[in-house]
Amino acid sequence: MTVRVRHLDAASCAAWDAFVAQHPDGTFCHRAGWKKVIEAGAGHESPFLVAEQDGSLVGVLPLTLRRSLLFGKQASSTMFGVYGGPLAGSDEAYDALDEAAWNLARDAGCDTLEYRTIRPRHQATEGWQTVPGKAATFIRDLASGDEQDILLQIPRKQRAVVRKSLKQNIVSDWNAGIDEFYQFYAYSVHGLGTPVFPKRLFTAFKAVFEDDVLVQVIRDAGGKGVASLMSFRTRDTVLPFYAGGSAQARSLAAHDFMYFELMKRAQADGLSKFDFGRSKIGTGPFNFKKNWGFEPTPLEYEYRLAPGANVPDISPQNRKFSLVIEAWKRLPLGVANLIGPPIAKHLG
């Protein structure tokens, strides 16, 4: 029978997640809950697409439509995620999802359809363009032994930094709330010159994914928070996703301690892989992750473009934003946190 594509409904969420869990390319960023997170947390329309054939689910595609006066219109899979694109069991299902997504994008006035893929499927397909070499992800197996084995898996120079952090009388608080996490996250992105995502986005992540979202705050010897991290758990993997820290965090090596503690927690929870997430090649975060002994895997995002359209570049590394970034850093933090979220919700 012909593949039929429809929108995801509440009754199909369990089947969607079961399909993602068994698909070799399925990730946390493909889970059905992202629809609720993006709609509630950022206010974007998210028409998640289900492919069916002969009564069975044969493919899924999480999709978000961004409509922004500043940054243009674009359909993305998965917005705010590292990974995305369709998952299917056959070429027919992939093709059906591609066409349905493109028709949705064009009907919404978008001239770009973005798939956040590790490996592209459309290298030789007219109208599609692959963008390799700009960013990479970092994934490796966790050591299977005790704390010492985890330490020994870290290269010598970085291991020394972690050992230093273990002498600072700092601790991980795994019961912290979104408000405290957001305080450090907002401080850090302001220092980078970028607007902060809406707090309600993080509230939605926790509300939707519940125990699969870890909120971690690092506290100094006096109990004062100095750094924070939101991580996601899925199948056998933990993904540290959003991090922040105060001015004091660096002197305490709090971020190094934080990631080491997350590795220990993941191992204790029975997880076997650590996904350090996406970083732009050649940046400080990219080098930081390499220092931990992670080898980069280049991300090859792909784009379907309308005639005359170009691949958008709204990253902070784009030189045309340099003056805006410097000006944003000089804004008072309170002002930046007030006016930033309506802008940042289009940047995920």
Side-chain angles (χ1 to χ4, degrees), residues 36-344:
K36 288 184 179 179
V37 169
I38 295 170
E39 289 177 343
H44 296 304
E45 181 184 354
S46 294
F48 279 31
L49 302 179
V50 176
E52 294 177 321
Q53 188 172 35
D54 196 22
S56 298
L57 191 155
V58 295
V60 301
L61 173 55
L63 195 67
T64 297
L65 303 177
R66 183 193 74 204
R67 300 177 176 92
S68 169
L69 293 175
L70 284 175
F71 306 111
K73 299 178 180 180
Q74 178 174 292
S76 293
S77 176
T78 299
M79 194 166 182
F80 299 101
V82 174
Y83 312 113
L87 303 175
S90 68
D91 287 341
E92 186 180 2
Y94 274 116
D95 291 344
L97 288 168
D98 284 343
E99 287 310 303
W102 184 238
N103 289 336
L104 268 173
R106 298 301 287 144
D107 288 346
C110 305
D111 57 11
T112 305
L113 171 63
E114 176 194 45
Y115 289 164
R116 299 184 179 183
T117 48
I118 297 178
R119 296 177 302 278
R121 295 184 58 254
H122 302 92
Q123 299 97 316
T125 305
E126 185 178 357
W128 287 84
Q129 185 172 333
T130 300
V131 180
K134 287 194 172 183
T137 189
F138 298 78
I139 307 171
R140 78 170 183 203
D141 292 337
L142 283 166
S144 57
D146 58 15
E147 177 178 327
Q148 187 63 23
D149 291 316
I150 298 176
L151 266 175
L152 291 175
Q153 192 180 31
I154 303 169
R156 180 179 57 83
K157 290 181 69 174
Q158 180 60 40
R159 191 189 319 145
V161 178
V162 174
R163 289 190 188 280
K164 174 188 173 184
S165 75
L166 297 176
K167 300 175 182 178
Q168 299 297 322
N169 293 319
I170 53 179
V171 297
S172 276
D173 179 357
W174 297 98
N175 298 304
I178 297 298
D179 287 347
E180 190 173 16
F181 154 80
Y182 191 76
Q183 169 190 342
F184 299 113
Y185 176 72
Y187 177 85
S188 289
V189 297
H190 178 251
L192 296 173
T194 56
V196 65
F197 291 142
K199 186 190 293 186
R200 68 178 186 273
L201 178 70
F202 305 100
T203 301
F205 271 123
K206 186 62 177 174
V208 170
F209 292 112
E210 299 179 332
D211 291 343
D212 284 339
V213 174
L214 300 175
V215 179
Q216 179 186 7
V217 168
I218 305 304
R219 302 194 183 281
D220 65 15
K224 178 184 175 183
V226 295
S228 65
L229 177 65
M230 176 177 281
S231 303
F232 303 139
R233 294 188 290 195
T234 188
R235 289 196 294 193
D236 58 353
T237 304
V238 66
L239 302 87
F241 224 75
Y242 297 109
S246 68
Q248 186 186 1
R250 185 179 183 87
S251 64
L252 295 174
H255 285 90
D256 306 273
F257 177 82
M258 184 165 66
Y259 291 118
F260 180 63
E261 286 285 293
L262 180 62
M263 290 177 178
K264 290 167 53 182
R265 171 69 183 264
Q267 187 195 71
D269 288 346
L271 304 178
S272 59
K273 294 184 183 297
F274 194 92
D275 184 341
F276 233 145
R278 174 184 63 197
S279 289
K280 295 288 184 180
I281 292 173
T283 62
F286 179 91
N287 294 328
F288 177 78
K289 293 168 185 179
K290 286 195 70 175
N291 290 343
W292 280 78
F294 286 73
E295 288 299 319
T297 299
L299 293 170
E300 298 186 75
Y301 289 179
E302 53 182 355
Y303 300 82
R304 186 168 181 175
L305 303 172
N310 297 310
V311 174
D313 182 5
I314 57 174
S315 75
Q317 283 70 40
N318 188 333
R319 289 185 178 180
K320 74 178 185 179
F321 297 131
S322 59
L323 292 178
V324 177
I325 289 171
E326 290 306 313
W328 195 271
K329 291 178 181 179
R330 292 194 291 271
L331 284 176
L333 180 59
V335 174
N337 286 349
L338 179 65
I339 66 176
I343 300 170

